[in-house]
Each structure stands twice: as C-alpha cells, then as structure tokens.
Amino acid sequence: MNDEPSRLQLLHFARRVVVQQATAALAQIDGWIVAEERRQAERRRGEDTRPAPPEWLVQYGLNRANVDAVHTGGCWAAAKSGRCRPATRQQAIDALRRQVPPCIHCRPDTALGILG
C-alpha cells in the first residue's frame, strides 16, 4: 500500500492553500479599504464643520495682558506666534488707533484702510 499522496492530490492541496491565502489577503485589503474610507469621511466631516478662520487677529504679549500686534486672519506670522486671539474688525481698528503696531508682514492697517 502506497500512503503517499498522488501528484493530483498534491496539486488540489496546493490550490486549496493558494485560495485560502488569497481569501485572507483580500479580506485584509478590504479591511484596509474600509478603514481608509472611514478616515477620509471623518476628514471631510471635520473640514465641513470647521469654523471659518477669523478675519482679524490681535496678538498678546507673553503676559497675555499687553497687545503686541494686529494681524489679518491668514497671516503666517500670527500662526507662528501662538499668542493671537480672534478679533472683530472694530476691535482691530481700535487697537491700531491705540498705537498697537500692525504686523509688518500682512499689513492689517492697509487692509483696513488706516494709513499710519
């Protein structure tokens, strides 16, 4: 009696192994696709619910009491300082009239029509 599997049996076994591995790989890829679709949907939801950036910013000093500068809402220098708070147009104008210096990069005084 020959207990060794035939060549045909080995080929069928090899096919079952390949199908099993391919099925597992496809399931893993499908999981990655679902996770990425969820991340993209969350990103879009976050972008849709993000409030509009402020039009004007007031930069406070290190002690948070003194006002150091006035910026436009999209100023890169204001973003780097980390000490800015949103301001209304009127607050920005009032600060400039109180001699708070305008940012030299974004020139909010020019944008507000105030000539220094």
Side-chain angles (χ1 to χ4, degrees):
M1 292 229 181
N2 189 359
D3 289 337
E4 289 185 28
S6 70
R7 180 173 165 79
L8 183 60
Q9 288 172 326
L10 290 174
L11 289 172
H12 280 294
F13 174 75
R15 185 182 188 286
R16 285 192 307 271
V17 169
V18 169
V19 167
Q20 180 184 13
Q21 289 174 345
T23 302
L26 285 174
Q28 184 177 34
I29 291 171
D30 288 343
W32 292 340
I33 290 170
V34 168
E36 185 59 28
E37 287 172 341
R38 184 175 43 250
R39 278 191 292 276
Q40 285 183 0
E42 289 170 358
R43 219 174 282 125
R44 278 191 302 274
R45 224 177 359 263
E47 290 170 359
D48 292 344
T49 59
R50 182 177 298 133
E55 212 172 333
W56 310 102
L57 296 168
V58 173
Q59 179 180 328
Y60 290 89
L62 293 176
N63 64 3
R64 302 274 183 194
N66 301 335
V67 177
D68 285 349
V70 177
H71 299 271
T72 60
C75 180
W76 64 268
K80 289 186 88 168
S81 81
R83 298 188 321 256
C84 292
R85 297 288 174 257
T88 64
R89 177 181 177 83
Q90 190 57 50
Q91 289 170 327
I93 290 171
D94 291 344
L96 291 170
R97 287 188 177 147
R98 289 191 320 268
Q99 304 304 310
V100 173
C103 172
I104 61 171
H105 303 290
C106 64
R107 301 305 307 188
D109 51 344
T110 304
L112 287 165
I114 298 173
L115 299 175

